[in-house]
Amino acid sequence: MAAEGQDVAVGAALLVASILLGGVTRIPAGDILPAAFGMRTGPADYVIFRIRMPRALAALLGGALFGLSGAPYRRLIRNPLATPDIVGISAGAGAGATTMLLFAPAVPFGTSLAGLGGAFAFVGRPCSH
């Protein structure tokens, strides 16, 4: 279990490093740490704090949120291999959203709410294949 946590930490560090070091504007490796700690201004500071750091944080936050949403979902279903398309949530959400788009496209937040309602209505319904 501890090895998995280390793997995740190494993967996250590599992701952040690749986002900070890669890109169209090349920044010398010696300029990254001083710019990251506020000891340097100029292009390195701008690129790191305005472009690359927000992307790295958004990627980490998005991945963490996907993991946090998937774990309770699988626990609730009591199936570690369950995915929304197998259980019927994807089909229900698509049917609800499509119905709303066809009959009342101008309703504010209507498509989102209909998709949510359709997802709840179709949970656990068997698909006819």
Side-chain angles (χ1 to χ4, degrees):
M1 192 83 165
E4 290 177 11
Q6 290 174 347
D7 292 343
V8 171
V10 168
L14 288 174
L15 173 70
V16 171
S18 70
I19 291 174
L20 291 177
L21 294 174
V24 176
T25 304
R26 296 288 175 202
I27 299 173
D31 291 348
I32 292 175
L33 284 177
F37 290 109
M39 294 183 271
R40 184 172 299 201
T41 60
D45 181 54
Y46 178 80
V47 169
I48 288 175
F49 283 109
R50 300 287 180 175
I51 298 171
R52 295 183 184 169
M53 187 65 73
R55 289 180 186 174
L57 293 176
L60 289 173
L61 182 63
L65 291 177
F66 277 129
L68 286 174
S69 67
Y73 173 76
R74 288 182 173 89
R75 175 79 60 173
L76 179 70
I77 302 289
R78 294 188 187 142
N79 182 353
L81 301 176
T83 60
D85 57 327
I86 292 175
V87 181
I89 292 176
S90 296
T98 302
T99 303
M100 182 58 100
L101 284 173
L102 286 174
F103 296 112
V107 175
F109 302 106
T111 306
S112 299
L113 294 174
L116 185 63
F120 283 126
F122 277 66
V123 170
R125 304 227 190 252
C127 296
S128 57
H129 290 294

